[in-house]
Amino acid sequence: MAAQRQHLGYEDEKLQRVMERLPCRDVQASMLLALMGEPEQCSYPSIFIYGHRATGKSHVIHTLLKELELPYATVSCVECVSVGLLFEQVLLSLFGSDSASLLSRSPSLSDFVRVYKQLCVQASAKQTRYIVLDRAELLRDMETNLLPAFLRLQELVDDNVTVILLSEIVWDKFRPNTGCFEPLLLHFPDYSKGELQQILSEDSHPSYSPELYSAFINILLGVFYSVCRDLRELRHLAALHFSKFIEPLEQGKVKESDTHKLWRNIEPHLKKAMQTVYLREVSSVQWEQQLQMEEKEAGAVRGLSAHAHVELPYYSKFLLIAAYLASYNPARTDKRFFLKHHGKIKKTNFLKKHEKTSNHLLGPKPFPLDRLLAIFYSVVDSRVAPTASVFCQISSLVTLQLLNQVGHDDQLDAPKYKCAVSLDFILAISRTVSFDMVKYLYDFL
Amino acid sequence: MSKRKVKETHMPVGECISQVQMILRERFCHQRLPEKPVGMESQHKHLLELLRRTAVHGESNSVLIVGPRGSGKTMLLNCVLRELLEVKDVNKNVLPVHLNGLLQTDDRIALKEITRQLNLENVVGDKVFGSFAENLAFLLEALKKGDRSSSRPVLFILDEFDLFAHHKNQTLLYNLLDVSQSAQAPVAVIGLTCRLDVLELLEKRVKSRFSHRQIHLLSSLSFIQYLDNVRSQLSLPQDFPDTKFYDEWNDGIKMLCEDQPVVDVLQRHYNSSKDFRSLHLLLMLALSRVSASKPAIKPTDLLEASRVCMVDSKANILHGLSILELCLIIAMKHLNDIYEGEPFNFQMVHNEFKKFLQRKSHSIHNFDKPVVIKAFEHLQQLELIKSMDSSTAKIQKEYQLMKLLLDHSQIMEALQKYPQCPTDVKQWAMSAFG
């Protein structure tokens, strides 16, 4: 490997330093280096790098380009809400600060290429220029000609330039329907469990031995690995939970060598953390505060989702209940549920077995306003006049996103709605007005 | 080659390699023009004759060069232009105007670009002045004033011609072709496109002004020619400074092209596509593995390069999923099998997954619903599943209808390759009924 790198035109120690900063990415980095070649040589017009989140795509590229001191521009496509911003950033980092002023106010691709060519003539580079586009999947949503043009930018501006696209999504989803210049595809594979262990073990706590930290990482991976392989997430979790892990050591209860006891101490704690911190139910700061208070159990603080309770007016509650019933019950069962004297309905006919519980799987069905009001009058005990305030409450439930209006063709005449709340939410609501919800739901008969 | 008069020189291997890289990289990446276009002699002759008539005799013409991507349209045109400009009078006389459908996205921009490239008098420095209407009137005026004998011929080269046909009213195309039909300044309109149905895109009035001359570049390359091509693409040119290295390299390439595994690999690439771009990609990957310590392309390099080219990217992505995400994909596969490709929502997938857990009763895979939702959303982010309806904000995320964008064999193959896949998950995937 070392011999291979010798004649690439870079200093040895620089390469050494680069490789040290890229653990477990030797193969990918040296392949990229080989593709880039010597700085003066031509490079491939466009390279597309894909791989999962946090597999070191941008890290490898940036380390290589920065340490080897190559001219490069790096642009995150998330930031570029307009193409003008994108062009400006590219020109700024490739040609210095006064270059972007050459662009007009809302530049087109044609302007960009013209300015680029013009600047190229003034400062013709001896080295390959690199344009790195991070989160390249967003390029697809911009103008249609942008992606094909960037892929063949080398040909368009007639300069030794390479465009590197980084994305999580595979190339097949990018290809425009009339085709384009095919980039060189490179895959960054995910880190295996061993590699994750190795990388995570590197940032060990200074006052404890690396072996102890490594053992901790091992336990952490044992809990979280089947759910999460994201290095950043795991690193965040490791940093958060290490203080809990070493707690028994600090109190002097156990020795460092006693890993089994340490494991017994931390494992339930980590399992709980999966439900709270991993899902961002409780913020990391809250979690740490909670640890310091100690007497409180982890998870005792109510997370974000536990705050689902909403205080509503009396009629709004019934309107919502009626909407839920209308959404999840088939219309043919209304007669049986809500009419006092509904005549004879055959039990066997009424309960079609194969349909059971299917509504809570398939989701809410749309219903017309009339049906909502009919059910509403039937479930509310008192006499309610259809005043403006009732209708007002329906439309304000829509703005609160507890109801959804379906189909925008009719605003006034017979609008249709869907109920957009979960079963737990509606059960809580019906409890406050002492209404037996389950009795009226077809799915739970 | 040994008869060359050059003094025999020897360079160290490192320098030779860097020379080789320099030459071959320019060939593969920068699309350097070859001496003579290979395999398209008649088209070359046709186009050259046509353009010479415009350049020398002042005849107006229009032509379309049609061929799939990577078939050498630009290369052919550039070869012809190079040859044309070598003629003494033509060089000073002809004005080429290059337009690209990707860059000049509407007629206004295209018109400014034309005025700029023609250096007309409303251009100051690099800026063009005047509105669209003024520009158009000015340009047409300038073109109309000319005649066959006195004015300089203009070559309009429209790359990505089909994109120009999407402009509003096709004003630019209409005017250019109109000039080429009437006795005004001599122009040649050359369109390059990869769409075979490009004439259907043109409006009737535009179509009637087009000369309907088409040059098709449909590759008729046989595999033997393809192999020859590989050899010539990888060989070093005659004027390589180090003769000894030159001989060694070219002999090595000849040996390489006769090696059976290499021929098999090339046959496979030939079967998938005949265009030069994909060949260049393959050779570039092989070339990047050459270094001073390994100064020749070995068969293994080419095999490895082909492996990189041919890899299924979705399988790569599947390999990196967590166990939970894989379980969800298997559940979706079962839903697809049972309901014959009907779309599903998260609730159904979760239900299917819970059924599996109940049967196996392994508490290891027992995750909370929010954790499962997070995994589901990750799959959506990777575009392995796609939402069926566009208005995503309207429906709760559990009930959004989804479609799986993987097929059966991809899933099964990914499962086989998955590192440390639990046996019960594997069995669940194999079993026909969820």
Side-chain angles (χ1 to χ4, degrees):
Chain A
M1 188 82 89
Q4 197 188 338
R5 292 192 214 124
Q6 263 171 20
H7 288 283
L8 278 167
Y10 305 109
E11 291 160 38
D12 254 356
E13 57 181 283
K14 257 190 199 170
L15 286 174
Q16 203 65 44
R17 205 166 56 224
V18 170
M19 288 305 169
E20 270 167 23
R21 292 192 48 195
L22 304 173
C24 309
R25 280 288 169 252
D26 265 1
V27 184
Q28 282 76 25
S30 47
M31 186 157 180
L32 263 173
L33 265 178
L35 280 173
M36 282 152 61
E38 291 176 30
E40 302 83 38
Q41 291 167 349
C42 294
S43 178
Y44 206 74
S46 47
I47 301 174
F48 180 85
I49 298 176
Y50 67 102
H52 278 281
R53 196 188 304 158
T55 45
K57 298 182 291 292
S58 17
H59 178 63
V60 168
I61 292 283
H62 286 157
T63 319
L64 278 180
L65 293 177
K66 201 169 180 189
E67 293 289 325
L68 301 177
E69 286 161 11
L70 298 166
Y72 75 99
T74 168
V75 183
S76 161
C77 296
V78 184
E79 292 172 19
C80 297
V81 286
S82 74
V83 283
L85 283 172
L86 204 161
F87 299 149
E88 202 170 290
Q89 281 196 29
V90 169
L91 289 180
L92 271 180
S93 35
L94 284 184
F95 298 104
S97 54
D98 52 343
S99 54
S101 59
L102 289 168
L103 281 174
S104 58
R105 268 230 327 254
S106 54
S108 65
L109 201 58
S110 176
D111 292 332
F112 171 68
V113 168
R114 179 174 55 85
V115 172
Y116 191 106
K117 267 183 181 165
Q118 198 182 324
L119 290 166
C120 248
V121 175
Q122 289 166 11
S124 64
K126 306 286 171 288
Q127 296 176 324
T128 315
R129 295 192 172 101
Y130 294 92
I131 299 175
V132 184
L133 299 175
D134 208 346
R135 298 287 300 270
E137 61 266 20
L138 290 157
L139 277 183
R140 296 176 300 175
D141 305 333
M142 295 190 204
E143 288 165 32
T144 43
N145 57 345
L146 196 65
L147 183 65
F150 263 111
L151 289 172
R152 54 194 302 176
L153 194 67
Q154 189 174 93
E155 188 187 324
L156 291 175
V157 299
D158 200 23
D159 178 39
N160 190 4
V161 60
T162 294
V163 178
I164 300 174
L165 305 166
L166 307 176
S167 179
E168 276 182 64
I169 296 169
V170 294
W171 169 247
D172 301 344
K173 312 256 172 194
F174 279 74
R175 200 173 284 121
N177 46 11
T178 46
C180 62
F181 183 93
E182 293 287 309
L184 203 156
L185 304 185
L186 275 188
H187 178 231
F188 272 46
D190 50 301
Y191 295 114
S192 68
K193 201 169 179 177
E195 283 169 338
L196 278 177
Q197 167 100 34
Q198 187 192 333
I199 295 168
L200 284 171
S201 303
E202 265 174 23
D203 35 34
S204 65
H205 201 274
S207 48
Y208 293 93
S209 68
E211 289 79 38
L212 181 79
Y213 195 78
S214 171
F216 165 65
I217 291 298
N218 201 5
I219 295 169
L220 185 88
L221 282 180
V223 175
F224 281 103
Y225 186 67
S226 59
V227 178
C228 170
R229 300 192 167 186
D230 189 338
L231 178 63
R232 274 179 306 174
E233 186 94 41
L234 287 170
R235 184 174 271 161
H236 172 71
L237 289 170
L240 203 60
H241 295 301
F242 188 61
S243 60
K244 178 76 184 174
F245 179 68
I246 53 169
E247 204 173 66
L249 287 175
E250 281 181 337
Q251 289 168 350
K253 282 185 194 157
V254 280
K255 287 196 289 282
E256 256 192 44
S257 55
D258 204 352
T259 40
H260 186 69
K261 271 196 182 141
L262 285 172
W263 177 74
R264 281 260 299 272
N265 178 40
I266 194 75
E267 226 229 342
H269 186 75
L270 287 179
K271 286 229 164 108
K272 223 164 268 164
M274 172 126 72
Q275 295 153 23
T276 48
V277 192
Y278 175 62
L279 296 166
R280 306 285 186 273
E281 284 269 288
V282 176
S283 77
S284 309
V285 178
Q286 272 180 326
W287 181 265
E288 271 169 359
Q289 280 169 352
Q290 194 178 304
L291 272 185
Q292 278 155 14
M293 279 151 72
E294 298 217 11
E295 60 265 31
K296 261 201 198 171
E297 266 290 288
V301 174
R302 288 197 304 168
L304 277 180
S305 68
H307 290 289
H309 178 68
V310 179
E311 201 49 62
L312 288 172
Y314 186 71
Y315 285 159
S316 287
K317 280 178 184 170
F318 270 107
L319 279 171
L320 202 59
I321 287 169
Y324 193 87
L325 290 173
S327 258
Y328 286 91
N329 280 352
R332 61 178 178 83
T333 61
D334 282 356
K335 214 171 158 195
R336 184 219 177 272
F337 279 129
F338 303 115
L339 228 58
K340 285 225 173 72
H341 310 289
H342 50 69
K344 202 179 176 193
I345 294 174
K346 265 191 195 164
K347 189 101 182 177
T348 47
N349 208 13
F350 177 68
L351 285 177
K352 284 181 183 158
K353 197 68 182 170
H354 66 272
E355 256 184 10
K356 256 201 135 188
T357 68
S358 65
N359 278 332
H360 276 88
L361 267 188
L362 291 173
K365 301 257 182 307
F367 54 85
L369 180 65
D370 303 347
R371 190 169 162 226
L372 172 70
L373 288 176
I375 296 178
F376 172 65
Y377 289 130
S378 152
V379 291
V380 173
D381 296 332
S382 55
R383 265 190 70 83
V384 190
T387 53
S389 87
V390 169
F391 290 99
C392 219
Q393 284 181 33
I394 293 175
S395 57
S396 71
L397 283 176
V398 173
T399 45
L400 288 170
Q401 302 197 355
L402 298 171
L403 291 186
N404 282 333
Q405 195 169 359
V406 190
H408 295 282
D409 43 342
D410 254 331
Q411 287 289 327
L412 287 177
D413 191 29
K416 287 194 161 190
Y417 297 98
K418 254 185 194 180
C419 186
V421 295
S422 64
L423 181 62
D424 294 333
F425 185 91
I426 205 75
L427 284 179
I429 293 253
S430 60
R431 225 172 286 127
T432 60
V433 292
S434 49
F435 176 80
D436 190 5
M437 191 77 194
V438 180
K439 213 175 85 188
Y440 285 93
L441 274 174
Y442 177 69
D443 281 352
F444 299 105
L445 274 188
Chain B
M1 54 188 109
S2 51
K3 282 179 197 131
R4 281 188 299 156
K5 300 279 188 292
V6 206
K7 222 180 91 188
E8 297 267 313
T9 47
H10 288 290
M11 297 191 296
V13 188
E15 240 166 87
C16 281
I17 283 297
S18 116
Q19 278 288 326
V20 169
Q21 290 270 4
M22 189 79 111
I23 293 167
L24 292 186
R25 270 166 184 272
E26 199 182 343
R27 207 178 274 167
F28 299 147
C29 306
H30 216 65
Q31 316 288 349
R32 209 172 69 106
L33 291 182
E35 300 294 308
K36 197 87 181 157
V38 191
M40 41 181 86
E41 284 75 21
S42 68
Q43 288 98 332
H44 179 248
K45 216 178 113 200
H46 187 172
L47 190 64
L48 183 62
E49 187 53 38
L50 203 75
L51 292 190
R52 184 180 287 148
R53 281 214 297 273
T54 304
V56 178
H57 304 299
E59 208 180 283
S60 287
N61 272 314
S62 50
V63 67
L64 267 181
I65 306 176
V66 185
R69 292 209 178 258
S71 59
K73 302 180 287 293
T74 315
M75 190 267 292
L76 173 70
L77 182 69
N78 285 343
C79 277
V80 167
L81 282 181
R82 184 182 60 186
E83 214 163 308
L84 193 71
L85 294 179
E86 273 167 12
V87 182
K88 209 174 59 186
D89 291 343
V90 172
N91 194 3
K92 273 181 274 172
N93 206 14
V94 168
L95 295 164
V97 174
H98 292 269
L99 298 177
N100 193 319
L102 289 174
L103 301 182
Q104 281 78 45
T105 41
D106 61 37
D107 282 347
R108 210 168 48 82
I109 302 171
L111 213 58
K112 285 202 167 170
E113 193 63 33
I114 293 172
T115 15
R116 188 179 298 121
Q117 289 194 23
L118 287 176
N119 278 320
L120 293 173
E121 53 243 53
N122 60 342
V123 178
V124 175
D126 216 23
K127 292 259 188 305
V128 180
F129 293 99
S131 66
F132 174 69
E134 279 168 14
N135 263 325
L136 182 64
F138 179 75
L139 184 71
L140 287 178
E141 185 73 14
L143 288 172
K144 259 186 203 136
K145 259 194 270 173
D147 59 50
R148 233 179 115 159
S149 48
S150 64
S151 52
R152 295 170 71 180
V154 186
L155 303 182
F156 288 102
I157 294 148
L158 307 178
D159 205 350
E160 308 277 351
F161 185 81
D162 48 310
L163 294 181
F164 282 101
H166 293 308
H167 293 185
K168 190 170 172 264
N169 289 339
Q170 304 186 343
T171 319
L172 182 77
L173 288 184
Y174 174 78
N175 283 309
L176 286 182
L177 291 170
D178 194 45
V179 170
S180 83
Q181 283 290 311
S182 48
Q184 295 165 354
V187 296
V189 181
I190 307 147
L192 300 138
T193 179
C194 58
R195 286 186 67 162
L196 288 174
D197 63 339
V198 65
L199 282 185
E200 308 303 312
L201 298 174
L202 297 180
E203 278 175 27
K204 206 170 157 195
R205 59 187 182 128
V206 180
K207 204 164 154 186
S208 71
R209 281 165 175 76
F210 172 61
S211 69
H212 288 264
R213 211 179 268 118
Q214 289 195 27
I215 297 178
H216 285 276
L217 290 180
L218 302 173
S219 173
S220 56
L221 210 63
S222 71
F223 182 61
I224 305 294
Q225 286 169 316
Y226 189 80
L227 264 183
D228 278 342
N229 215 329
V230 173
R231 193 178 312 131
S232 66
Q233 287 283 335
L234 280 175
S235 302
L236 291 176
Q238 291 259 334
D239 52 355
F240 193 75
D242 188 336
T243 40
K244 184 159 163 281
F245 187 83
Y246 167 83
D247 290 339
E248 272 175 19
W249 177 271
N250 281 5
D251 289 343
I253 296 301
K254 203 172 280 178
M255 293 280 281
L256 182 76
C257 291
E258 282 155 15
D259 192 71
Q260 195 51 44
V262 171
V263 172
D264 287 345
V265 162
L266 290 175
Q267 178 81 56
R268 204 159 64 229
H269 274 266
Y270 173 77
N271 289 347
S272 69
S273 86
K274 290 196 240 176
D275 72 64
F276 289 98
R277 285 275 172 73
S278 65
L279 177 64
H280 283 162
L281 183 62
L282 178 74
L283 297 181
M284 174 73 200
L285 278 169
L287 176 72
S288 74
R289 299 167 65 85
V290 172
S291 65
S293 54
K294 198 168 74 57
I297 296 183
K298 295 271 184 301
T300 49
D301 292 337
L302 216 62
L303 298 187
E304 183 62 23
S306 157
R307 200 187 56 75
V308 173
C309 274
M310 290 287 190
V311 79
D312 178 15
S313 39
K314 266 195 189 156
N316 277 335
I317 289 291
L318 281 177
H319 185 272
L321 294 178
S322 65
I323 297 274
L324 176 58
E325 284 152 355
L326 200 70
C327 284
L328 290 184
I329 287 196
I330 294 169
M332 292 173 205
K333 189 200 105 185
H334 283 316
L335 282 176
N336 258 348
D337 288 349
I338 297 166
Y339 298 111
E340 289 163 352
E342 288 288 305
F344 50 82
N345 60 27
F346 171 75
Q347 286 291 359
M348 296 155 95
V349 175
H350 193 219
N351 202 35
E352 198 71 22
F353 182 50
K354 273 196 297 199
K355 271 199 255 165
F356 161 64
L357 292 186
Q358 276 164 12
R359 255 184 314 118
K360 299 293 171 191
S361 67
H362 270 306
S363 56
I364 315 162
H365 301 309
N366 217 345
F367 304 108
D368 287 349
K369 192 169 164 185
V371 178
V372 184
I373 290 188
K374 191 163 175 169
F376 193 76
E377 280 170 349
H378 187 223
L379 290 179
Q380 198 180 350
Q381 232 168 46
L382 291 171
E383 300 191 11
L384 295 177
I385 50 178
K386 199 179 116 212
S387 174
M388 288 288 286
D389 35 24
S390 50
S391 58
T392 44
K394 297 244 65 162
I395 314 169
Q396 293 148 282
K397 59 189 170 197
E398 292 100 318
Y399 293 121
Q400 266 173 35
L401 286 182
M402 296 286 187
K403 217 169 59 181
L404 183 62
L405 300 177
L406 293 164
D407 64 21
H408 204 280
S409 58
Q410 267 174 328
I411 298 171
M412 295 320 275
E413 210 167 297
L415 216 63
Q416 294 302 327
K417 285 186 192 149
Y418 196 82
Q420 295 154 19
C421 184
T423 329
D424 50 347
V425 173
K426 230 178 219 174
Q427 278 169 352
W428 179 41
M430 300 292 184
S431 67
F433 307 103

